[in-house]
Amino acid sequence: TLPQVKRRQWYSLSDIASRISVALIAFLYAMLSHPFSFIHYTFLFNKIFSGPLKGVISALLLPFWPVLMFLNILIFNNNLSFLPMLNVEDEALESLQFFTNNLSWTASIIFDFSQEFSNYVGNFYILGVSESGLQTMYWDTEQTTKVFWRGQLERAGARIAREVARWDGQELTVGSRGVEEFPELLVKVADSCMGVGDLFLKRSRDFETTRDVERIFGEKYAGKPCLLIEF
């Protein structure tokens, strides 16, 4: 039987406070149990998102870093401070938010802190001191596209949508089963996220043969490596 979860109001002051308490316990445990690794991680995390100077300061002042992060948000309202470094337009920045913040001022400040602090602490447990892993939080590289992540999942024995073909930007390489066996297919741009560039293809409506699929890639995805997967 599934455990019974006590009902509560999401994003209430008490809910946000409970989230922060978990992150603070995780912070203290990491600092006490893996001090050198956590110092190294803290330096890398802040260096990637905010530059080497902040990386050094955060590592030197690690025990006080949660307080400094909170004061930074309280004084400058500088939540998610790494996002402006991406040089995106305001509209694109807004699209990264999953809901509208209608919280009170107090709850909003605490929520902003919980978001940034939980992100910082949680990824230590996920990534450790892997600089390449941290880099993917900021911006994917050629080594960390969907091809890389699907490979990781396959090696772990996860069930993922089968790859039908691969487009390198100029040429289509089809797997052993061919596209004709699948009633519906999905195009995924290898270096993209949040569904950007997705294209759903239905047999009889959009394609019949491999040549039809290749034509679609040539028209819509020239120069963009993609995966064609089952849907």
Side-chain angles (χ1 to χ4, degrees):
T1 59
L2 294 174
Q4 295 298 311
V5 179
K6 185 179 179 180
R7 295 182 62 86
R8 63 183 178 184
Q9 183 180 354
W10 293 105
Y11 302 115
S12 64
L13 191 57
S14 60
D15 175 53
I16 297 170
S18 69
R19 294 166 186 258
I20 292 178
S21 66
V22 172
L24 284 171
I25 292 171
F27 173 85
L28 291 172
Y29 179 79
M31 187 171 61
L32 295 174
S33 62
H34 300 81
F36 297 109
S37 295
F38 197 40
I39 290 172
H40 187 190
Y41 164 82
T42 299
F43 166 74
L44 292 175
F45 182 92
N46 286 287
K47 184 192 76 168
I48 289 172
F49 287 121
S50 303
L53 178 60
K54 189 173 179 181
V56 172
I57 293 173
S58 63
L60 293 174
L61 300 177
L62 180 61
F64 310 101
W65 196 240
V67 176
L68 294 174
M69 289 179 69
F70 181 77
L71 290 176
N72 177 57
I73 291 171
L74 180 65
I75 297 171
F76 301 106
N77 194 25
N78 196 24
N79 62 308
L80 300 179
S81 56
F82 61 88
L83 290 177
M85 295 180 65
L86 301 182
N87 296 319
V88 296
E89 300 295 334
D90 291 342
E91 293 80 2
L93 191 61
E94 290 173 0
S95 70
L96 297 175
Q97 299 175 347
F98 289 94
F99 69 97
T100 303
N101 186 341
N102 293 320
L103 305 172
S104 67
W105 182 85
T106 302
S108 179
I109 292 295
I110 297 175
F111 175 76
D112 290 344
F113 170 69
S114 73
Q115 289 287 90
E116 190 161 346
F117 185 64
S118 298
N119 182 50
Y120 153 65
V121 176
N123 278 288
F124 173 69
Y125 290 88
I126 298 172
L127 302 170
V129 293
S130 170
E131 187 165 7
S132 60
L134 283 165
Q135 180 64 43
T136 64
M137 295 172 57
Y138 180 76
W139 203 268
D140 273 334
T141 65
E142 292 182 0
Q143 288 74 40
T144 54
T145 63
K146 288 183 176 66
V147 175
F148 169 80
W149 294 117
R150 283 174 60 86
Q152 295 292 96
L153 291 169
E154 286 177 347
R155 279 190 287 275
R159 169 69 173 95
I160 59 176
R162 284 171 293 184
E163 182 179 317
V164 180
R166 187 174 297 187
W167 170 256
D168 65 4
Q170 296 179 326
E171 185 177 347
L172 185 69
T173 303
V174 182
S176 58
R177 294 188 61 181
V179 301
E180 292 84 2
E181 292 190 30
F182 296 88
E184 293 182 279
L185 296 169
L186 173 60
V187 177
K188 300 288 291 185
V189 178
D191 186 16
S192 185
C193 64
M194 295 185 174
V196 175
D198 284 5
L199 180 65
F200 294 89
L201 302 177
K202 193 168 185 177
R203 196 172 61 200
S204 298
R205 185 192 68 185
D206 302 304
F207 73 95
E208 290 288 353
T209 65
T210 300
R211 187 180 296 273
D212 296 329
V213 174
E214 193 166 12
R215 174 181 51 79
I216 292 171
F217 275 110
E219 293 175 353
K220 297 181 180 293
Y221 298 98
K224 294 182 179 180
C226 299
L227 296 174
L228 184 66
I229 61 176
E230 64 176 345
F231 180 71

